């Protein structure tokens, strides 16, 4: 029996066993050893950074209300931090993990323990490295089941399977990003996509490296899908099958039937799959959805859905995936989802707004340190920005520690709530306009009072070309009130806000040459990173942070930092 088959069986068995194992658990503890290992993919050996030597890393299985304790030992040659993507971290901001935002890195040879409680969330999230491009191979799923005595708001599945999409480079990922940052241009494209760490049969030397999911005809399965790819949004289909989406980003949705799932980097989708076809082999396949008119990796990763009793030597059917630039299909999936308001942790959309912001997101350029040596447009270096502020990470202290200790000189709270120049954000005529294309680096963040309701219009600008930006907010779920194309018009578009059952997310795919409106309650004290989850855009500056002040009571006040918090 091949390794992918064994892995598939192990996942199903572990998930089933944990239904009873974790029924009364209050503390779930893990040992994470970050270390380099050598693996073979695409016809060659490559050294990668992993947790416990595995790709993907361990799946964290908890129930709502449990406490997670993860002991991390860094045996890799790189600085490391880990982020628990989508976990709201209520009053545990110190455990959130983004480098220089809530902590300084764990240096090689050192250890640190993350401890936090998982509250008022159910579904699928994930964890990953939050430094450089190391999350290429340092990631894994977080599965949050209802606490004992509660059930899913849908029929109990026969079994559950994590489906984690990844991205693979043909070379050392740290060297690749360092080269890109040095020359001011984009990093080279990835060589492959993966499903649960395996590229699939359409890539060279990969016919024996294909993930296999074994099912029984007539049974219903819950797929816990995560896009852990570095840069690519993906379309996902299974030949001759349909999905019923029941949750996104660990927030329940009204059941949504579809034969294709669109998923941006950082997002997760829980989908029921009924094994209702005749016994055989069916390809599960994912390929990029790309809105930018640039050369990309447009290859397809595959895995196999295998029915018990499949005829020997049967050939899998390949699904008909959407075209690479099928924006209509992606937009339909993203906009059709609505929240399940009868779910146990739903709270209604705030009807009034305290802080109303309009934020442009997109690309720009900065001067090259040595003229003529940069590979960006106009021989400059790429610099992503929000409201023309290209975010600069601090280096001598984390933002959260500087906030709590009231240390000046680390950041300022003057992030602009409106763009400095109003122009036609989605017109190709705006490209290379010298008055709007250039930006500068600074560490400007947003500061709000506790329990403030924040609304943010995220407007994509197509300077240097249209591109979809998946924007992720740490520390909160937000409501996606509306999404659309072109320039946002408050008088027109606010009439279409969903203020009844807007989908909850922690990552929203802001449409190419379009906009999205999000709203959230700032009821979690701390400093929370907000950034594009296309990894290349973070070092280029498409980010900011939101500082939320403490509330009026001890139960709404952030505790002091742990004594062993890593220092810069």
């Amino acid at each position: 029996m091949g390794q992918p088959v064994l892995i598939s069986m192990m996942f199903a068995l572990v998930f089933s066993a944990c239904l009873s194992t974790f029924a009364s658990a209050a503390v779930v503890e893990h040992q994470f050893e970050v270390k380099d290992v050598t693996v073979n993919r695409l016809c060659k050996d490559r050294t990668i950074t992993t947790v416990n030597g595995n790709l993907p890393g361990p799946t964290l299985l908890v129930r709502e209300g449990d406490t997670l304790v993860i002991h991390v030992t860094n045996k890799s040659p790189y600085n490391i931090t880990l982020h628990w993507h989508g976990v709201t971290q209520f009053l545990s901001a110190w455990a959130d993990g983004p480098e220089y935002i809530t902590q300084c890195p764990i240096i090689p040879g050192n250890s640190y323990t993350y401890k936090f409680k998982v509250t008022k969330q159910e579904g699928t999230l994930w964890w990953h490295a939050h430094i450089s491009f190391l999350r290429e191979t340092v990631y894994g799923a977080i599965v949050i089941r209802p606490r004992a005595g509660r059930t899913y708001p849908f029929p109990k599945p026969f079994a559950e399977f994590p489906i984690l999409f990844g991205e693979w480079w043909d070379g050392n990922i740290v060297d690749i990003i360092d080269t890109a940052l040095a020359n001011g241009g984009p990093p080279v494209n990835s060589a492959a996509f993966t499903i649960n760490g395996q590229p699939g049969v359409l890539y060279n030397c990969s016919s024996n490296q294909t993930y296999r999911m074994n099912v029984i005809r007539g049974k219903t399965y819950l797929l816990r899908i995560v896009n852990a790819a570095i840069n690519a949004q993906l379309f996902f289909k299974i030949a001759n099958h349909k999905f019923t989406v029941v949750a996104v980003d660990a927030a329940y949705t009204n059941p949504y039937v579809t034969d294709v799932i669109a998923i941006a980097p950082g997002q997760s989708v829980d989908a029921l799959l009924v094994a209702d076809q005749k016994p055989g082999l069916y390809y599960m396949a994912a390929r990029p959805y790309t809105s930018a008119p640039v050369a990309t990796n447009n290859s397809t990763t595959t895995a196999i859905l295998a029915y018990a009793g499949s005829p020997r030597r049967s050939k899998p059917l390949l699904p008909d995936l959407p075209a690479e630039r099928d924006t209509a299909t992606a937009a339909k999936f993203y906009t059709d989802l609505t929240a399940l308001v009868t779910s146990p942790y739903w709270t209604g959309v705030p009807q009034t707004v305290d802080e109303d912001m309009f934020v442009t997101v997109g690309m720009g350029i900065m001067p090259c340190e040595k003229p003529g040596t940069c590979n960006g447009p106009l021989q400059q270096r790429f610099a992503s920005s929000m409201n023309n502020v290209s975010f600069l990470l601090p280096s001598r202290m984390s933002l959260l520690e500087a906030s709590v200790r009231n240390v000046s000189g680390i950041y300022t709270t003057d992030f602009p709530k409106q763009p400095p120049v109003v122009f036609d954000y989605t017109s190709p005529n705006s490209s290379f306009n010298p008055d709007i294309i250039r930006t500068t680096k600074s560490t400007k963040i947003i500061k709000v009072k506790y329990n403030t309701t924040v609304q943010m219009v995220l407007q994509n600008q197509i300077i240097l070309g249209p591109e979809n930006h998946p924007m992720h907010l740490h520390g909160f779920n937000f409501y996606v009130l509306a999404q659309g194309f072109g320039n946002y018009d408050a008088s027109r578009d606010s009439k279409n806000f969903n203020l009844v059952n807007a989908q909850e997310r922690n990552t929203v795919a802001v449409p190419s040459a379009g906009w999205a409106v999000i709203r959230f309650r700032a009821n979690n004290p701390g400093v929370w990173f907000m950034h594009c989850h296309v990894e290349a855009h973070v070092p280029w500056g498409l980010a900011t942070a939101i500082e939320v002040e403490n509330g009026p009571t001890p139960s709404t006040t952030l505790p002091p930092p742990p004594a062993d918090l890593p220092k810069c």
Side-chain angles (χ1 to χ4, degrees):
M1 186 177 293
Q3 185 182 21
V5 179
L6 283 172
I7 291 172
S8 175
M9 292 176 63
M10 287 169 61
F11 271 132
L13 289 170
V14 167
F15 274 115
S16 299
C18 286
L19 286 174
S20 58
T21 302
F22 287 121
S24 59
V27 176
V28 179
E29 203 159 359
H30 285 267
Q31 299 284 341
F32 274 21
E33 186 176 84
V34 182
K35 61 181 180 180
D36 283 5
V37 298
T38 299
V39 299
N40 187 277
R41 297 287 190 280
L42 308 184
C43 313
K44 65 185 291 186
D45 289 341
R46 204 194 117 193
T47 299
I48 62 172
T49 305
T50 65
V51 168
N52 298 347
N54 296 318
L55 176 65
T59 296
L60 304 181
L61 297 155
V62 299
R63 288 187 179 273
E64 189 276 327
D66 285 350
T67 296
L68 265 170
V69 179
I70 302 100
H71 306 283
V72 179
T73 301
N74 186 7
K75 294 186 177 181
S76 81
Y78 309 110
N79 290 346
I80 195 77
T81 69
L82 297 180
H83 169 52
W84 319 98
H85 184 110
V87 176
T88 54
Q89 299 285 2
F90 182 67
L91 297 182
S92 57
W94 300 107
D96 193 42
E99 80 282 16
Y100 301 113
I101 305 296
T102 62
Q103 69 168 96
C104 296
I106 308 167
I107 64 175
N110 282 20
S111 300
Y112 180 61
T113 296
Y114 293 92
K115 183 178 180 180
F116 53 91
K117 192 173 184 179
V118 181
T119 60
K120 298 184 179 181
Q121 292 182 281
E122 295 174 5
T124 305
L125 298 172
W126 62 301
W127 59 266
H128 60 83
H130 209 296
I131 191 165
S132 186
F133 265 40
L134 289 177
R135 74 174 175 88
E136 180 213 15
T137 53
V138 180
Y139 62 86
I142 303 174
V143 172
I144 311 167
R145 290 202 179 86
R147 64 174 60 202
R150 289 184 174 171
T151 60
Y152 295 125
F154 48 81
K156 180 181 176 182
F158 178 72
E160 306 177 10
F161 291 94
I163 303 294
L164 279 72
F165 302 122
E167 200 164 359
W168 185 266
W169 267 260
D170 190 13
N172 182 287
I173 194 66
V174 174
D175 293 342
I176 287 169
I177 187 58
D178 285 349
T179 298
L181 291 174
N183 64 33
V188 298
N189 289 327
S190 59
F193 298 100
T194 60
I195 297 177
N196 289 346
Q198 301 293 347
V201 298
L202 300 183
Y203 295 100
N204 291 334
C205 305
S206 300
S207 59
N208 294 324
Q209 295 180 323
T210 300
Y211 174 74
R212 186 182 180 106
M213 191 174 86
N214 298 308
V215 299
I216 299 171
R217 191 170 188 267
K219 301 294 186 182
T220 298
Y221 298 86
L222 178 60
L223 305 187
R224 297 182 174 276
I225 304 163
V226 173
N227 187 352
I230 293 287
N231 293 326
Q233 295 192 68
L234 297 168
F235 288 125
F236 175 55
K237 293 186 75 170
I238 301 178
N240 288 9
H241 290 76
K242 290 187 176 181
F243 307 100
T244 300
V245 175
V246 293
V248 293
D249 292 2
Y252 291 119
T253 64
N254 286 306
Y256 177 67
V257 179
T258 177
D259 68 344
V260 61
I261 287 173
I263 186 167
Q267 292 183 332
S268 61
V269 173
D270 288 356
L272 296 173
L273 173 78
V274 180
D276 57 3
Q277 299 298 301
K278 66 180 182 180
L281 304 181
Y282 300 84
Y283 274 127
M284 311 159 64
R287 65 174 295 180
Y289 158 54
T290 305
S291 53
V294 295
T296 60
N297 172 4
N298 65 351
S299 60
T300 300
T301 179
T302 57
I304 294 175
L305 179 73
Y307 279 72
S310 298
R312 297 185 65 184
R313 299 181 181 177
S314 60
K315 185 177 181 180
L317 293 174
L318 191 67
D320 184 18
L321 286 160
E324 180 185 3
R325 294 182 185 165
D326 190 346
T327 293
T329 295
K332 177 175 172 54
F333 181 85
Y334 289 137
T335 58
D336 280 358
L337 297 169
T338 54
L340 183 67
V341 300
T342 57
S343 58
Y345 304 113
W346 168 262
T347 57
V349 180
Q351 300 297 299
T352 59
V353 174
D354 302 307
E355 290 281 354
D356 199 353
M357 304 181 65
F358 187 100
V359 180
T360 57
V361 295
M363 297 296 297
I365 58 173
M366 289 179 57
C368 194
E369 286 86 349
K370 295 181 179 179
T373 64
C374 286
N375 294 340
L378 306 177
Q379 292 188 313
Q380 306 285 293
R381 62 171 53 251
F382 276 117
S384 305
S385 67
M386 299 176 67
N387 276 352
N388 208 39
V389 175
S390 188
F391 187 76
L392 177 66
L393 281 171
S395 59
R396 61 187 179 93
M397 180 179 287
S398 74
L399 295 181
L400 183 56
E401 187 170 3
S403 170
V404 169
R405 301 191 187 283
N406 199 27
V407 177
S408 61
I410 305 297
Y411 65 91
T412 60
T413 57
D414 56 344
F415 180 88
K417 297 180 181 180
Q418 302 289 326
V421 178
V422 176
F423 60 98
D424 187 347
Y425 307 109
T426 60
S427 169
N429 296 328
S430 299
S431 293
F432 298 101
N433 182 332
D435 294 329
I436 59 178
I437 193 173
R438 290 186 173 85
T439 183
T440 57
K441 289 281 188 182
S442 58
T443 310
K444 298 177 185 287
I445 74 172
I446 304 159
K447 186 172 183 176
V448 297
K449 293 184 180 299
Y450 176 80
N451 221 27
T452 295
T453 296
V454 179
Q455 179 172 293
M456 194 176 290
V457 177
L458 297 168
Q459 173 71 59
N460 244 326
Q461 58 187 30
I462 66 168
I463 297 173
L464 306 184
E467 191 172 5
N468 187 301
H469 290 101
M471 298 300 296
H472 172 50
L473 176 60
H474 294 222
F476 302 93
N477 278 1
F478 49 72
Y479 303 94
V480 183
L481 304 186
Q483 302 172 68
F485 294 95
N487 294 315
Y488 173 77
D489 183 328
S491 61
R492 176 194 64 204
D493 297 320
S494 62
K495 297 175 184 177
N496 298 319
F497 283 3
N498 181 349
L499 300 175
V500 178
N501 60 354
Q503 60 177 285
E504 284 187 85
R505 287 278 196 182
N506 61 60
T507 305
V508 61
V510 182
S512 172
W515 50 267
V517 181
I518 65 173
R519 189 180 291 184
F520 65 96
R521 298 179 184 88
N523 56 3
N524 192 8
V527 179
W528 305 103
F529 204 27
M530 184 176 191
H531 62 96
C532 180
H533 224 272
V534 171
E535 191 64 39
H537 287 305
V538 177
W540 289 346
L542 212 169
T544 187
I546 300 175
E547 180 181 12
V548 180
E549 295 180 350
N550 282 321
T553 65
S555 63
T556 57
T557 299
L558 181 69
D564 60 343
L565 190 72
K567 303 297 182 183
C568 293

